[in-house]
Amino acid sequence: MPIKLPRSLPAYDVLSKEGVMVMGESAAEHQDIRPLRIALLNLMPKKIQTENQFARLIGATPLQIELTLIRMSEHRTKNTAAEHMAEFYQPFEDVKDQKFDGLIITGAPIEHMPFEDVTYWSELCEVFEWTQTNVHSTFGVCWGGMAMINYFHDVQKHILDAKAFGCFRHQNLLPESPYLRGFSDDCVIPVSRWTEMLKPEIEASSGLNVLLDSPEVGPALVQDPAHRALYIFNHFEYDSGTLKQEYDRDVAAGTTINVPINYYPNDDPSQPPQNRWRSHAHLLYGNWISEIYQTTPYDMAKIGIEATDLRL
């Protein structure tokens, strides 16, 4: 939550430059508060696990969040009970007239496919366009982030020779970013993907800012101010045991897979894995929610039309 300070107090500018949430007295006196409407477009096969992971992160702030679960209208999942989908999920077609403060678009296990070959690509492109008029801030995760940055900026994904799999250190390239408030100079993020986005290609596209980057597995977090979006290509949302589940699944299936790097103590899969990313995961998603809270219009009809800034 922001701290209220007189606008003329020297600490106001000092803390603002450091990324601390501050609010002027005038803005605080006229502040209207309502629940934030956040939608989750869940493209992952294990719907319930993914719901839990993201709800845990966006629900860890003092703000009231109203979470809406969305699915592609025509796509039918094979890994989650139809009863669960019918009770808790709404097809995009049914929510497209609504407005949301935030939207998370998850990854999907279809990395090897060209974007245009995905069965629901046409509707997903409609979702991307819809975010520009009906969503205040969008967070694309892993394949969802790659698809969105490709759609808006034509940045291509590239197939890796081997799966990037494990926990990798990433450098904080823009500590003054409000999305990296409280971050260390570097952090560990779980990675599980067969594709990558290249930093030079991202930086060649006007208006994109790489916030987190790894010399081993490339850029992780990108800000797209023009489209009010963040793209993250890795998995801060993962539970402690998610990489273990993926590794055990592949081993059981006879799939060639390396032991996830820097995940088990001494890279020994007989040992319990160690979670080195939980605190930064909460920081990132908490910062995203905070930025939404401070900039989204109180009148939801104005979402996509204008934004406010409670710090002014």
Side-chain angles (χ1 to χ4, degrees):
M1 297 288 281
I3 180 172
K4 184 179 74 172
L5 295 174
R7 184 63 183 83
S8 57
L9 188 71
Y12 186 100
D13 289 332
V14 172
L15 295 180
S16 295
K17 292 176 181 177
E18 292 178 359
V20 176
M21 292 181 287
V22 294
M23 179 186 297
E25 290 179 311
S26 177
E29 290 170 359
H30 296 88
Q31 183 183 15
D32 290 316
I33 298 175
R34 59 167 175 78
L36 294 181
R37 295 198 72 205
I38 307 294
L40 175 67
L41 177 57
N42 193 349
L43 306 176
M44 291 295 286
K46 294 184 177 181
K47 305 291 186 190
I48 297 174
Q49 181 184 53
T50 303
E51 296 158 18
N52 293 341
Q53 290 171 345
F54 284 106
R56 179 181 297 116
L57 292 174
I58 67 173
T61 76
L63 301 174
Q64 185 176 341
I65 306 293
E66 178 184 309
L67 181 63
T68 300
L69 300 176
I70 303 175
R71 62 172 175 83
M72 293 283 89
S73 300
E74 300 301 323
H75 183 71
R76 294 293 181 267
T77 181
K78 300 177 182 177
N79 298 281
T80 303
E83 294 80 7
H84 180 86
M85 299 301 296
E87 182 175 359
F88 297 110
Y89 279 79
Q90 299 180 58
F92 171 66
E93 186 67 27
D94 289 357
V95 303
K96 60 193 304 184
D97 292 333
Q98 300 179 32
K99 294 203 173 187
F100 294 89
D101 299 293
L103 170 69
I104 297 171
I105 302 175
T106 74
I110 48 179
E111 292 179 85
H112 287 92
M113 297 176 62
F115 292 121
E116 297 78 9
D117 290 350
V118 176
T119 56
Y120 49 78
W121 180 249
S122 178
E123 186 179 25
L124 189 58
C125 291
E126 185 182 353
V127 172
F128 295 155
E129 285 296 327
W130 172 79
T131 65
Q132 301 307 286
T133 56
N134 288 62
V135 178
H136 180 65
S137 180
T138 304
F139 208 146
V141 179
C142 200
W143 183 86
M146 292 182 178
M148 199 169 179
I149 198 174
N150 173 265
Y151 179 80
F152 283 123
H153 297 274
D154 198 33
V155 178
Q156 301 300 309
K157 63 182 172 73
H158 301 271
I159 302 294
L160 294 167
D161 294 331
K163 186 177 184 179
F165 192 43
C167 298
F168 295 87
R169 288 208 162 270
H170 290 70
Q171 299 167 344
N172 181 348
L173 301 184
L174 200 64
E176 63 272 22
S177 168
Y179 297 106
L180 299 182
R181 183 183 299 113
F183 265 61
S184 306
D185 291 338
D186 67 3
C187 60
V188 171
I189 314 178
V191 180
S192 178
R193 49 179 164 80
W194 287 95
T195 54
E196 67 176 345
M197 312 300 280
L198 300 179
K199 187 166 179 266
E201 294 182 4
I202 294 172
E203 293 178 331
S205 182
S206 176
L208 294 176
N209 302 312
V210 178
L211 305 185
L212 295 175
D213 181 50
S214 166
E216 297 175 277
V217 291
L221 181 64
V222 178
Q223 183 186 8
D224 183 358
H227 295 97
R228 304 187 308 281
L230 289 176
Y231 313 126
I232 187 165
F233 309 132
N234 302 330
H235 291 283
F236 262 137
E237 81 279 3
Y238 269 11
D239 298 323
S240 299
T242 306
L243 290 179
K244 172 178 168 53
Q245 293 169 8
E246 295 181 5
Y247 176 70
D248 291 347
R249 175 202 63 201
D250 288 348
V251 169
T255 303
T256 301
I257 186 67
N258 62 277
V259 174
I261 296 170
N262 194 32
Y263 177 57
Y264 297 104
N266 300 316
D267 290 331
D268 179 1
S270 69
Q271 300 295 315
Q274 295 179 327
N275 190 311
R276 298 183 175 91
W277 62 90
R278 184 183 297 113
S279 59
H280 282 102
H282 280 281
L283 275 174
L284 178 60
Y285 282 88
N287 288 341
W288 179 61
I289 292 294
S290 172
E291 283 302 296
I292 292 174
Y293 165 74
Q294 294 186 82
T295 60
T296 193
Y298 178 77
D299 181 357
M300 296 199 68
K302 296 181 179 179
I303 286 177
I305 300 172
E306 67 179 47
T308 58
D309 194 333
L310 298 180
R311 290 160 295 195
L312 299 178

